Amino acid sequence: MARVRMIRHRVVVGAVALFVAVWLLIAITLISGHDPALARKSASTTASATSANTSGSTAATSTSSDTGSGTTAGTGTTATSTPGSVTTRQS
């Protein structure tokens, strides 16, 4: 009986330690400003804005899915203006 209790205790302590370590790693990553979700979104937004601006065969009736407003140029291409990136720091 004592051996089973000792094994259960070790398993519980190991699971709690692993849980705390993972959340601590996530918290430190987010506090240091390296949020992977924000980095992935800004990279895909930049890539889509670049491809929209460099494409010469875009029809004038196409729309942009981001929040930027679309303006049509005289050549039948659509140019989108996207807001610049904002960097903030906690004080």
Side-chain angles (χ1 to χ4, degrees), residues 7-80:
I7 292 172
R8 285 182 184 163
H9 183 265
R10 285 183 182 175
V11 169
V12 168
V13 169
V16 169
L18 182 64
F19 180 80
V20 169
V22 168
W23 280 106
L24 186 63
L25 177 68
I26 292 171
I28 289 171
T29 302
L30 293 177
I31 289 170
S32 67
H34 300 294
D35 188 354
L38 291 177
R40 195 173 320 128
K41 180 175 173 62
S42 65
S44 66
T45 302
T46 304
S48 66
T50 303
S51 66
N53 288 336
T54 59
S55 174
S57 62
T58 306
T61 59
S62 67
T63 60
S64 177
S65 63
D66 60 336
T67 59
S69 62
T71 58
T72 57
T75 61
T77 60
T78 302
T80 58

